[in-house]
Amino acid sequence: MKIGIIGGTGPQGLGIAKRLAIAGEDVIVGSRKEEKALTVVEEANEEIKEYNPKELVGMANEDAAAAADVLILTVPLQAQSATLKTIKEHTKGKVLLDATVPLETAIGGPVSNVLHINPGSAAERAANILKDADVKVVAAFNNISNSHLANIPNPIECDCLICGDDGKAKEIASDIIEKIPGLKAIDIGPLNKAHLIESITPLLIGMNIKFKSHYGGFRITGIDFDDQNHYLYFF
Protein backbone atom coordinates (compact mmCIF):
# COMPACT_ATOMS: atom_id res chain seq x y z
CA MET A 1 0.00 0.00 0.00
CA LYS A 2 1.35 3.39 -0.99
CA ILE A 3 0.53 6.32 1.27
CA GLY A 4 0.50 9.80 -0.27
CA ILE A 5 0.85 12.75 2.08
CA ILE A 6 -0.69 15.75 0.35
CA GLY A 7 0.92 19.00 1.43
CA GLY A 8 3.48 16.83 3.16
CA THR A 9 6.47 19.16 3.31
CA GLY A 10 5.30 21.02 6.44
CA PRO A 11 6.11 19.88 10.00
CA GLN A 12 3.00 17.72 10.42
CA GLY A 13 3.10 15.99 7.06
CA LEU A 14 6.83 15.42 7.16
CA GLY A 15 6.64 14.11 10.71
CA ILE A 16 4.00 11.58 9.70
CA ALA A 17 5.99 10.68 6.58
CA LYS A 18 9.17 9.98 8.53
CA ARG A 19 7.38 7.94 11.16
CA LEU A 20 5.61 5.78 8.57
CA ALA A 21 8.76 5.31 6.50
CA ILE A 22 10.59 4.10 9.61
CA ALA A 23 7.69 1.69 10.15
CA GLY A 24 8.37 0.25 6.70
CA GLU A 25 5.58 1.90 4.74
CA ASP A 26 5.85 3.18 1.17
CA VAL A 27 5.34 6.94 1.53
CA ILE A 28 5.08 9.66 -1.10
CA VAL A 29 5.51 13.25 0.10
CA GLY A 30 3.50 15.68 -2.00
CA SER A 31 3.92 19.42 -2.39
CA ARG A 32 2.38 22.15 -4.50
CA LYS A 33 5.72 22.28 -6.32
CA GLU A 34 7.59 19.09 -7.17
CA GLU A 35 10.96 20.78 -6.68
CA LYS A 36 10.18 21.51 -3.05
CA ALA A 37 9.02 17.95 -2.44
CA LEU A 38 12.23 16.53 -3.91
CA THR A 39 14.44 18.85 -1.83
CA VAL A 40 12.60 18.19 1.42
CA VAL A 41 12.51 14.43 0.86
CA GLU A 42 16.24 14.29 0.15
CA GLU A 43 16.93 16.00 3.47
CA ALA A 44 14.40 13.83 5.34
CA ASN A 45 15.85 10.58 3.99
CA GLU A 46 19.27 11.66 5.21
CA GLU A 47 17.91 12.54 8.66
CA ILE A 48 16.26 9.16 9.26
CA LYS A 49 18.67 6.83 7.46
CA GLU A 50 19.99 5.38 10.74
CA TYR A 51 16.55 3.81 11.33
CA ASN A 52 16.66 1.80 8.08
CA PRO A 53 13.41 3.26 6.70
CA LYS A 54 11.71 2.75 3.40
CA GLU A 55 12.95 5.60 1.22
CA LEU A 56 10.61 8.56 1.00
CA VAL A 57 9.62 9.74 -2.49
CA GLY A 58 8.79 13.33 -3.42
CA MET A 59 6.22 14.38 -6.02
CA ALA A 60 3.84 17.19 -6.88
CA ASN A 61 0.55 16.84 -4.99
CA GLU A 62 -1.36 15.75 -8.11
CA ASP A 63 1.17 13.04 -8.93
CA ALA A 64 1.29 11.86 -5.32
CA ALA A 65 -2.51 11.57 -5.25
CA ALA A 66 -2.52 9.59 -8.48
CA ALA A 67 0.23 7.19 -7.38
CA ALA A 68 -0.96 6.54 -3.82
CA ASP A 69 -3.60 4.11 -2.57
CA VAL A 70 -4.39 6.08 0.60
CA LEU A 71 -4.04 9.84 1.07
CA ILE A 72 -3.29 11.95 4.14
CA LEU A 73 -4.06 15.67 3.85
CA THR A 74 -1.83 17.88 6.02
CA VAL A 75 -2.41 21.47 4.95
CA PRO A 76 -3.68 24.53 6.86
CA LEU A 77 -7.35 25.38 6.57
CA GLN A 78 -6.60 28.20 4.14
CA ALA A 79 -5.17 25.71 1.63
CA GLN A 80 -7.59 22.84 2.15
CA SER A 81 -10.18 23.63 -0.50
CA ALA A 82 -7.73 24.63 -3.23
CA THR A 83 -5.51 21.63 -2.60
CA LEU A 84 -8.40 19.16 -2.70
CA LYS A 85 -9.66 20.63 -5.96
CA THR A 86 -6.25 20.17 -7.60
CA ILE A 87 -6.08 16.46 -6.68
CA LYS A 88 -9.77 15.57 -6.99
CA GLU A 89 -9.48 13.80 -10.33
CA HIS A 90 -6.88 11.44 -8.84
CA THR A 91 -8.83 10.49 -5.70
CA LYS A 92 -11.71 8.39 -7.02
CA GLY A 93 -12.65 5.60 -4.64
CA LYS A 94 -9.70 6.23 -2.31
CA VAL A 95 -9.47 6.78 1.44
CA LEU A 96 -8.45 10.26 2.59
CA LEU A 97 -7.29 10.95 6.14
CA ASP A 98 -7.88 14.66 6.75
CA ALA A 99 -5.77 16.26 9.47
CA THR A 100 -7.03 19.80 8.80
CA VAL A 101 -7.89 21.84 11.88
CA PRO A 102 -9.97 25.04 11.54
CA LEU A 103 -8.00 27.47 13.68
CA GLU A 104 -8.79 31.18 13.95
CA THR A 105 -5.34 31.91 12.58
CA ALA A 106 -7.00 31.47 9.18
CA ILE A 107 -8.70 34.84 9.74
CA GLY A 108 -6.02 36.49 11.83
CA GLY A 109 -7.23 35.22 15.20
CA PRO A 110 -5.39 33.36 17.98
CA VAL A 111 -4.02 29.87 17.38
CA SER A 112 -5.76 28.58 20.53
CA ASN A 113 -9.27 29.27 19.20
CA VAL A 114 -11.33 27.06 16.89
CA LEU A 115 -12.93 28.58 13.80
CA HIS A 116 -16.51 27.43 13.29
CA ILE A 117 -17.14 26.67 9.63
CA ASN A 118 -19.84 25.19 7.44
CA PRO A 119 -20.84 22.40 7.16
CA GLY A 120 -19.59 21.91 10.72
CA SER A 121 -16.00 20.69 10.34
CA ALA A 122 -13.05 20.76 8.00
CA ALA A 123 -13.38 17.02 7.44
CA GLU A 124 -17.01 17.37 6.35
CA ARG A 125 -16.00 20.16 4.01
CA ALA A 126 -13.42 17.83 2.47
CA ALA A 127 -16.08 15.17 2.00
CA ASN A 128 -18.34 17.68 0.26
CA ILE A 129 -15.58 18.81 -2.09
CA LEU A 130 -14.74 15.20 -3.01
CA LYS A 131 -18.23 13.68 -2.96
CA ASP A 132 -18.37 13.23 -6.73
CA ALA A 133 -15.17 11.18 -6.55
CA ASP A 134 -16.60 8.72 -4.00
CA VAL A 135 -13.76 9.40 -1.56
CA LYS A 136 -13.99 7.90 1.94
CA VAL A 137 -12.97 10.73 4.29
CA VAL A 138 -11.72 10.04 7.81
CA ALA A 139 -10.79 12.79 10.28
CA ALA A 140 -7.42 11.70 11.69
CA PHE A 141 -4.11 12.97 13.11
CA ASN A 142 -5.79 16.24 14.15
CA ASN A 143 -4.70 16.01 17.79
CA ILE A 144 -1.12 14.73 17.42
CA SER A 145 1.42 17.53 17.85
CA ASN A 146 4.14 18.21 15.32
CA SER A 147 6.69 18.08 18.14
CA HIS A 148 5.61 14.55 19.06
CA LEU A 149 5.88 13.47 15.43
CA ALA A 150 9.35 15.00 15.10
CA ASN A 151 10.60 13.46 18.34
CA ILE A 152 11.97 10.37 16.62
CA PRO A 153 12.42 7.59 17.70
CA ASN A 154 10.48 8.15 20.93
CA PRO A 155 6.98 6.64 20.99
CA ILE A 156 3.98 8.98 21.01
CA GLU A 157 1.99 8.02 24.09
CA CYS A 158 -1.30 9.55 22.91
CA ASP A 159 -4.70 8.53 21.63
CA CYS A 160 -5.60 9.59 18.10
CA LEU A 161 -9.33 10.18 17.74
CA ILE A 162 -10.82 9.40 14.34
CA CYS A 163 -14.26 9.48 12.77
CA GLY A 164 -15.83 8.75 9.41
CA ASP A 165 -18.84 7.23 7.69
CA ASP A 166 -17.13 4.17 6.19
CA GLY A 167 -16.10 1.35 8.50
CA LYS A 168 -13.45 -0.13 6.23
CA ALA A 169 -11.89 3.30 5.71
CA LYS A 170 -11.63 3.75 9.46
CA GLU A 171 -9.95 0.35 9.78
CA ILE A 172 -7.38 1.42 7.19
CA ALA A 173 -6.85 4.73 8.98
CA SER A 174 -6.42 2.97 12.32
CA ASP A 175 -3.88 0.54 10.90
CA ILE A 176 -1.83 3.44 9.52
CA ILE A 177 -2.00 5.43 12.76
CA GLU A 178 -0.93 2.48 14.86
CA LYS A 179 2.17 1.93 12.72
CA ILE A 180 3.57 4.81 14.77
CA PRO A 181 4.83 3.51 18.15
CA GLY A 182 2.67 4.56 21.09
CA LEU A 183 -0.29 5.87 19.12
CA LYS A 184 -3.70 4.26 19.56
CA ALA A 185 -6.61 5.02 17.24
CA ILE A 186 -10.03 5.48 18.80
CA ASP A 187 -13.08 5.67 16.56
CA ILE A 188 -15.68 8.06 17.96
CA GLY A 189 -18.27 7.49 15.24
CA PRO A 190 -19.51 9.08 12.00
CA LEU A 191 -17.95 12.05 10.22
CA ASN A 192 -20.38 14.52 11.79
CA LYS A 193 -18.38 14.08 15.01
CA ALA A 194 -15.30 15.62 13.37
CA HIS A 195 -16.00 19.05 14.87
CA LEU A 196 -15.42 17.51 18.30
CA ILE A 197 -12.04 16.13 17.28
CA GLU A 198 -10.99 19.33 15.56
CA SER A 199 -11.99 21.45 18.57
CA ILE A 200 -9.59 19.58 20.84
CA THR A 201 -6.51 20.79 18.96
CA PRO A 202 -6.73 24.50 19.90
CA LEU A 203 -7.34 23.41 23.48
CA LEU A 204 -4.10 21.40 23.44
CA ILE A 205 -2.27 24.29 21.76
CA GLY A 206 -3.48 26.68 24.44
CA MET A 207 -2.35 24.30 27.18
CA ASN A 208 1.05 23.92 25.57
CA ILE A 209 1.42 27.70 25.48
CA LYS A 210 0.32 28.12 29.09
CA PHE A 211 2.54 25.36 30.46
CA LYS A 212 5.47 26.02 28.10
CA SER A 213 5.37 22.60 26.49
CA HIS A 214 5.30 21.19 22.98
CA TYR A 215 4.02 17.73 23.80
CA GLY A 216 0.43 18.13 24.98
CA GLY A 217 -1.72 15.11 24.20
CA PHE A 218 -4.27 12.88 25.88
CA ARG A 219 -5.33 9.34 26.67
CA ILE A 220 -8.90 8.11 27.11
CA THR A 221 -9.15 6.49 30.55
CA GLY A 222 -11.80 4.60 32.48
CA ILE A 223 -12.99 2.55 29.49
CA ASP A 224 -12.16 -1.10 28.93
CA PHE A 225 -11.37 -1.65 25.28
CA ASP A 226 -11.72 -5.12 23.84
CA ASP A 227 -8.34 -6.30 22.57
CA GLN A 228 -9.85 -7.16 19.21
CA ASN A 229 -11.84 -3.96 18.78
CA HIS A 230 -10.63 -0.99 20.81
CA TYR A 231 -12.66 1.61 18.96
CA LEU A 232 -15.17 3.78 20.75
CA TYR A 233 -18.44 4.53 18.97
CA PHE A 234 -20.68 7.49 19.73
CA PHE A 235 -24.07 7.80 18.01
Side-chain angles (χ1 to χ4, degrees):
M1 177 177 67
K2 291 184 178 180
I3 301 168
I5 304 187
I6 308 303
T9 56
Q12 184 183 38
L14 199 58
I16 294 171
K18 291 177 181 177
R19 291 280 190 165
L20 293 179
I22 291 170
E25 298 298 307
D26 290 312
V27 182
I28 304 167
V29 175
S31 178
R32 189 169 58 87
K33 294 185 177 180
E34 182 183 28
E35 295 82 0
K36 182 175 182 180
L38 293 172
T39 299
V40 169
V41 159
E42 183 179 6
E43 295 172 354
N45 281 326
E46 181 65 23
E47 289 169 4
I48 62 174
K49 66 180 182 180
E50 65 183 285
Y51 303 107
N52 299 313
K54 279 284 187 76
E55 187 171 344
L56 295 168
V57 175
M59 295 183 183
N61 282 331
E62 295 93 328
D63 295 330
D69 303 300
V70 177
L71 308 176
I72 304 176
L73 182 68
T74 58
V75 297
L77 180 68
Q78 304 94 300
Q80 184 199 34
S81 178
T83 302
L84 289 174
K85 288 174 181 176
T86 64
I87 67 169
K88 183 175 180 178
E89 66 178 294
H90 305 297
T91 62
K92 187 172 178 59
K94 296 182 180 181
V95 174
L96 173 82
L97 282 61
D98 192 343
T100 308
V101 175
L103 300 174
E104 276 196 5
T105 49
I107 56 171
V111 69
S112 56
N113 283 358
V114 67
L115 179 65
H116 299 285
I117 62 174
N118 288 322
S121 68
E124 288 172 284
R125 185 168 78 163
N128 282 347
I129 293 170
L130 299 175
K131 63 182 178 182
D132 295 336
D134 188 33
V135 177
K136 311 301 190 297
V137 176
V138 179
F141 283 115
N142 310 80
N143 309 139
I144 309 304
S145 78
N146 299 340
S147 297
H148 265 311
L149 291 165
N151 193 25
I152 297 169
N154 292 334
I156 303 175
E157 299 297 340
C158 296
D159 289 334
C160 182
L161 301 185
I162 68 170
C163 65
D165 294 333
D166 185 89
K168 181 62 177 177
K170 289 189 283 189
E171 289 180 12
I172 291 170
S174 297
D175 288 343
I176 290 171
I177 290 163
E178 294 185 355
K179 296 289 184 182
I180 299 175
L183 280 187
K184 182 170 69 175
I186 297 182
D187 180 355
I188 70 164
L191 197 63
N192 64 14
K193 302 296 183 184
H195 68 103
L196 299 174
I197 295 176
E198 294 170 6
S199 296
I200 292 172
T201 301
L203 172 64
L204 291 174
I205 292 172
M207 291 177 67
N208 277 330
I209 293 170
K210 179 178 180 179
F211 294 103
K212 297 179 173 59
S213 175
H214 297 283
Y215 300 100
F218 63 89
R219 284 288 198 199
I220 302 296
T221 64
I223 297 173
D224 293 325
F225 294 106
D226 184 279
D227 287 341
Q228 300 302 313
N229 184 14
H230 55 245
Y231 311 125
L232 179 65
Y233 294 87
F234 292 166
F235 295 98

